[in-house]
Amino acid sequence: MSLFGTSSGFGTGGTGVFGSTTTDSHNPMKDVEVTSPPDDSISCLAFSPPTMPGNFLIGGSWANDVRCWEVQDNGQTVPKAQQMHTGPVLDACWSDDGSKVFTASCDKTAKMWDLNSNQAIQIAQHDGPIKAIHWIKAPNYSCIMTGSWDKTLKFWDTRSPNPMMSLQMPERCYCADVVYPMAVVATAERGLIVYQLENQPSEFRRIESPLKHQHRCVAIFKDKQNKPTGFALGSIEGRVAIHYINPPNPAKDNFTFKCHRSNGTNTTTPQDIYAVNAIAFHPVHGTLATVGSDGRFSFWDKDARTKLKTSEQLDQPITACCFNHNGNIFAYASSYDWSKGHEYYNPQKKNYIFLRNAAEELKPRNKK
Amino acid sequence: MGRKKKKQMKPWCWYCNRDFDDEKILIQHQKAKHFKCHICHKKLYTGPGLAIHCMQVHKETIDGVPNAIPGRIDIELEIYGMEGIPEKDMEERRRMLEQKNQETQKKKQNQDDSDEYDDDDEPGPSFQQPAARQPQAGYVPPMTQPGMLPVGSGTPALPPGSYSGIPPMMPGVPPMIPATPPVMPGMPPGMIPMGGMMPPMMPGVPPGIPPPMGTRPAITHMPQLPLAAGVLPRPAVPAGPSVQPDVTKPLFPSAGQSQQSVLGSPHTPPSTTSDLTKPTFPAYTQSSAGLASPNAGSSTVSKPPSTVTSKPATLTTSSATSKLIHPDEDISLEEFRAQLSQYQCSIPRQGQTTSATASVGGMMAPQQHSMRHPIPGQYGGPQQGMPGYIPGRIPPYIQAPPVVPPVYQGGPPRPTIVTRPPVMSPGGHY
């Protein structure tokens, strides 16, 4: 099952984005389908934190909604609730106690959704769509961090309409991740900024991008002591960079690897290079998963620098992914990401969210 | 050279006149070359030892020491390392060395500041000071840092033209050479241990080591580093302008739209497939009125098969060997998609109640449930649960045990919502 190198065309059905209707290429991995998926592309997925019993999954979509499902132990998914924005939802996250869900939208607002009462109120406002939203829990404060296309990064105490802090960024926020006390934001023009969150958020360092193409997704990883120590950055050019903040030997410790490309060994036709849409680290093993526009997901071990597995090709790009709090479940969303432009968009095409058992496949490779 | 001891010179092999740094190495050499049995390859310790071995074990006699120069093949001489060398041979050796020394010394003189000789006499021959102080010597290719090399994809490892800026920046200091502990000569040694300390992410700790682009300005501050204080401002100082754009300069005024000679900029990375550069794009920075400004116009222009050239606002998405599956415009997929009218926020126009089911562009259409957008004002009615969402699935989450700090229930924020709308709809593009 572990495929080294790019997987050759293992006879997956589905050509391109449309996918054929004859073969079951919408779910070649035969994973569990989440019921009542959103009606338009899924932009983000997030599982509930360990502070809550059970597993609850939220997913935001371009249909302006964010939905919540309960994922039961037997694999059944039960839709629980939904909230709306007035524009596509681009990101969502949980509070640390699992009682609130924060959602960010193209409508330039962010909302706090109290799941108990099923009420959502606006807690943030930007001058442009909010692309990234994260909950920060520090010993001396808690807040929401929002990154927007208006080039600002703002921090909100949810009780006040004004931000506690607003930091200017060089460019539009494209993606971000937070693992206290570190936050990383990747912006347009290949910008990359690391923030430190102790006491209060402040810019820590601007890093020259290890990648040559537009940044698309970022995820922080931790070291053996469970402290954030670096991040994985994905671009639109089928490549991920593993970057440590303070490595003993940057030249050797930092590296990039190619992924989500077609034609592994076949060199006669031009290789298709797909964007990496999301990266997620397994909370226990520290291995990572990447999902791309090519409709595949891959698991990698960054320490052993090997690929653990690549999936079959789905008939649509995979736009989002996440692990649940204990790493047993890997969720990924199959929907159109616009990588081929407007022409390939089919509003009738169903969008899916799949759940896969991740306990075994993401075990790290033993280093010899 | 002091002439006190017999063996003051570097160890040398009596059998073949070779020089060695160390006596140990000399002995290894002798055992392997001169005292090795040609029949069974056993290594002995001395010449006589070898002779005896061959006689006893192989019943063979040896005439001389293998691999020895003529005159030095005496197998009966018990020589081990430097021990046992006949005195006269030692003297011969010394004489030879002296001669050699004199020759080199003569030449050396000319470079020396030594007061014994007149400098102006010799016309400085070509000899450079041996082992001068090549500042850069021994430094590894600077470019490896970003870790591009291991991958070795088509793109040359040269991190974007950024580095081109560096040499001028740092005269005596080697460019960001990664990490070996000695790191930069400019760096006070005290910095190094700190470098290791990262985790608490305290500013001031890591400075020199990783410092790619962003710290370019910092480098010049190197000497200040030891002052913790000096470091703190670092991120802030260069902050805005200088940082970041290794590749780009601040956005061009959108008006320009021109095919900016991107190439002119020394920063343009020599990359292969594509690269972005100044997006004159900014549909964003303009007030929304413009709508889809990144218009296809400038963008879709071309997909030059070759690389390197990239016009502003577009990516070079294809090359002879590869093709980026991405729209040409150099904006994120989400930005691209969000421009479409169907995704414009359905901010209720005045007078209309929230329900704006006015499905803007049919986006709402697909939704089966007649969800009313709980836009401000609509939030009342805690019983809303999931109106229409999942018929029959009422229990609004109450199952969730964890206690919620009910701070927000009906708290002050509520009222603020009502005031929101005016703020939310500035041009309401998104």
Side-chain angles (χ1 to χ4, degrees):
Chain A
M1 198 145 22
S2 34
L3 305 168
F4 285 94
T6 53
S7 66
S8 50
F10 248 103
T12 62
T15 53
V17 177
F18 271 118
S20 67
T21 47
T22 52
T23 56
D24 181 24
S25 54
H26 83 278
N27 184 12
M29 301 303 290
K30 313 242 184 299
D31 288 325
V32 173
E33 258 183 59
V34 168
T35 57
S36 297
D39 298 308
D40 204 345
S41 304
I42 294 129
S43 57
C44 57
L45 290 173
F47 267 106
S48 52
T51 40
M52 277 179 48
N55 290 297
F56 291 84
L57 174 69
I58 50 165
S61 83
W62 282 76
N64 298 9
D65 64 353
V66 54
R67 302 188 180 192
C68 177
W69 297 263
E70 177 186 1
V71 179
Q72 294 166 340
D73 294 335
N74 58 2
Q76 288 241 328
T77 53
V78 178
K80 283 294 210 194
Q82 153 173 336
Q83 281 292 334
M84 303 295 299
H85 268 266
T86 50
V89 173
L90 297 182
D91 198 10
C93 70
W94 291 81
S95 62
D96 62 300
D97 62 359
S99 62
K100 315 271 189 299
V101 168
F102 299 94
T103 57
S105 163
C106 281
D107 64 12
K108 310 184 193 172
T109 70
K111 294 192 177 170
M112 174 171 74
W113 178 11
D114 181 318
L115 295 161
N116 283 337
S117 63
N118 199 24
Q119 300 296 314
I121 57 174
Q122 178 176 342
I123 50 147
Q125 178 73 45
H126 270 265
D127 297 322
I130 304 179
K131 179 67 174 61
I133 188 165
H134 290 84
W135 172 251
I136 299 177
K137 174 110 178 101
N140 57 330
Y141 71 96
S142 296
C143 69
I144 273 291
M145 179 180 95
T146 52
S148 161
W149 289 346
D150 68 1
K151 306 189 191 174
T152 63
L153 190 67
K154 295 191 192 228
F155 299 82
W156 311 80
D157 172 332
T158 57
R159 295 160 297 197
S160 160
N162 294 317
M164 310 169 8
M165 175 178 296
S166 177
L167 297 177
Q168 188 66 30
M169 296 190 292
E171 257 293 353
R172 299 151 275 165
C173 170
Y174 275 179
C175 53
D177 194 14
V178 169
V179 172
Y180 186 82
M182 174 168 142
V184 176
V185 177
T187 70
E189 301 303 307
R190 300 164 54 237
L192 195 48
I193 312 165
V194 178
Y195 296 84
Q196 73 82 24
L197 306 170
E198 269 184 85
N199 292 327
Q200 65 170 17
S202 63
E203 195 179 300
F204 173 73
R205 181 186 304 163
R206 294 202 179 181
I207 298 183
E208 181 184 347
S209 173
L211 297 174
K212 293 210 164 24
H213 288 74
Q214 186 190 111
H215 297 164
R216 184 139 180 82
C217 50
V218 69
I220 293 176
F221 56 81
K222 302 188 273 197
D223 58 18
K224 306 246 189 316
Q225 287 76 39
N226 232 24
K227 302 239 177 307
T229 184
F231 55 87
L233 176 70
S235 75
I236 57 171
E237 186 241 358
R239 193 183 296 265
V240 170
I242 299 289
H243 190 94
Y244 289 82
I245 297 296
N246 265 342
N249 188 349
K252 286 187 21 182
D253 297 334
N254 296 338
F255 65 96
T256 71
F257 60 90
K258 294 190 268 194
C259 50
H260 301 293
R261 298 175 176 215
S262 65
N263 300 342
T265 49
N266 178 2
T267 47
T268 55
T269 57
Q271 185 180 52
D272 289 329
I273 301 179
Y274 296 87
V276 180
N277 284 330
I279 303 177
F281 277 89
H282 192 277
V284 172
H285 296 312
T287 46
L288 68 149
T290 61
V291 296
S293 286
D294 58 347
R296 294 184 198 261
F297 62 80
S298 293
F299 300 144
W300 313 80
D301 180 341
K302 72 176 199 319
D303 299 312
R305 301 201 186 184
T306 66
K307 179 189 304 202
L308 300 171
K309 177 185 184 69
T310 291
S311 72
E312 299 300 325
Q313 184 167 30
L314 275 66
D315 58 357
Q316 291 187 101
I318 302 182
T319 50
C321 71
C322 71
F323 286 99
N324 75 327
H325 68 86
N326 61 13
N328 287 340
I329 311 177
F330 174 62
Y332 59 101
S334 166
S335 49
Y336 186 49
D337 61 0
W338 234 253
S339 48
K340 293 193 178 183
H342 179 77
E343 305 76 42
Y344 283 78
Y345 176 53
N346 177 1
Q348 308 308 323
K349 186 144 180 60
K350 217 175 155 209
N351 303 282
Y352 299 94
I353 299 177
F354 296 111
L355 303 178
R356 184 176 183 81
N357 186 315
E360 291 301 313
E361 290 176 328
L362 278 113
K363 287 200 170 145
R365 191 68 74 221
N366 289 331
K367 277 209 217 170
K368 300 290 166 125
Chain B
M1 293 209 191
R3 304 210 172 149
K4 308 170 231 181
K5 292 153 83 165
K6 240 171 127 178
K7 309 182 201 169
Q8 92 297 63
M9 349 172 229
K10 286 174 70 159
W12 57 282
C13 177
W14 179 83
Y15 294 100
C16 59
N17 265 345
R18 271 175 63 181
D19 253 339
F20 295 90
D21 289 329
D22 203 55
E23 185 157 11
K24 271 201 214 122
I25 304 181
L26 164 63
I27 290 173
Q28 281 175 7
H29 152 83
Q30 286 175 340
K31 284 174 73 170
K33 283 269 159 15
H34 306 302
F35 306 151
K36 186 148 100 169
C37 174
H38 66 287
I39 303 171
C40 67
H41 301 297
K42 181 169 164 75
K43 294 195 202 140
L44 283 308
Y45 289 85
T46 64
L50 173 62
I52 292 168
H53 159 85
C54 281
M55 180 60 66
Q56 289 178 342
V57 178
H58 308 297
K59 316 282 193 271
E60 274 225 10
T61 52
I62 299 204
D63 299 329
V65 173
N67 297 317
I69 58 179
R72 299 276 177 93
I73 61 170
D74 190 349
I75 195 132
E76 312 218 334
L77 258 190
E78 176 131 354
I79 292 183
Y80 181 68
M82 292 288 280
E83 287 168 25
I85 298 183
E87 182 60 30
K88 64 174 169 53
D89 288 325
M90 284 292 264
E91 277 178 23
E92 243 187 68
R93 179 92 182 155
R94 269 178 236 144
R95 258 176 270 142
M96 258 190 20
L97 287 179
E98 254 188 58
Q99 277 177 3
K100 262 198 246 151
N101 276 349
Q102 277 172 8
E103 284 176 16
T104 51
Q105 265 175 22
K106 257 196 226 152
K107 300 177 192 165
K108 239 187 170 177
Q109 277 171 27
N110 303 312
Q111 316 307 324
D112 262 1
D113 304 328
S114 141
D115 37 347
E116 299 185 44
Y117 306 93
D118 284 336
D119 279 353
D120 29 300
D121 278 357
E122 312 293 338
S126 51
F127 264 41
Q128 300 310 325
Q129 287 95 331
R133 334 143 244 112
Q134 299 301 357
Q136 314 295 344
Y139 279 103
V140 175
M143 300 321 160
T144 56
Q145 175 167 357
M148 296 298 287
L149 288 191
V151 175
S153 71
T155 55
L158 283 239
S162 66
Y163 281 102
S164 59
I166 300 232
M169 292 277 317
M170 341 214 270
V173 182
M176 342 282 168
I177 300 313
T180 49
V183 187
M184 326 211 179
M187 279 188 59
M191 292 310 295
I192 308 222
M194 278 166 63
M197 216 82 77
M198 196 19 203
M201 307 270 314
M202 287 323 291
V205 169
I209 304 194
M213 222 22 227
T215 61
R216 207 204 262 171
I219 300 301
T220 51
H221 298 150
M222 273 306 191
Q224 295 167 16
L225 280 180
L227 311 177
V231 182
L232 269 177
R234 174 166 61 78
V237 170
S242 59
V243 184
Q244 173 22 257
D246 43 347
V247 199
T248 65
K249 303 199 169 88
L251 292 180
F252 284 98
S254 56
Q257 244 21 327
S258 48
Q259 308 294 343
Q260 244 357 294
S261 53
V262 171
L263 305 184
S265 133
H267 292 284
T268 316
S271 70
T272 58
T273 48
S274 92
D275 212 357
L276 19 179
T277 43
K278 5 282 174 129
T280 49
F281 165 49
Y284 225 126
T285 50
Q286 292 168 344
S287 56
S288 39
L291 219 222
S293 69
N295 28 127
S298 62
S299 18
T300 45
V301 173
S302 61
K303 293 190 178 192
S306 63
T307 60
V308 176
T309 58
S310 31
K311 305 192 169 52
T314 66
L315 307 173
T316 302
T317 53
S318 68
S319 73
T321 53
S322 61
K323 181 171 177 313
L324 264 187
I325 308 296
H326 193 276
D328 288 332
E329 286 83 343
D330 181 20
I331 53 177
S332 68
L333 292 176
E334 289 78 21
E335 282 174 301
F336 189 54
R337 183 174 188 170
Q339 296 158 21
L340 303 177
S341 58
Q342 68 187 84
Y343 288 115
Q344 300 307 318
C345 294
S346 57
I347 303 289
R349 273 158 272 150
Q350 312 308 350
Q352 274 196 10
T353 22
T354 55
S355 29
T357 32
S359 49
V360 181
M363 169 190 46
M364 302 310 168
Q367 291 183 351
Q368 269 65 23
H369 28 276
S370 52
M371 239 347 262
R372 270 171 315 173
H373 303 249
I375 291 182
Q378 208 65 343
Y379 279 128
Q383 293 70 20
Q384 288 284 342
M386 291 125 291
Y389 173 47
I390 305 297
R393 280 271 156 208
I394 302 309
Y397 212 75
I398 300 194
Q399 268 70 355
V403 183
V404 182
V407 181
Y408 310 101
Q409 316 304 35
R414 269 311 161 72
T416 58
I417 295 175
V418 181
T419 63
R420 278 302 179 191
V423 182
M424 251 173 29
S425 50
H429 252 287
Y430 289 94

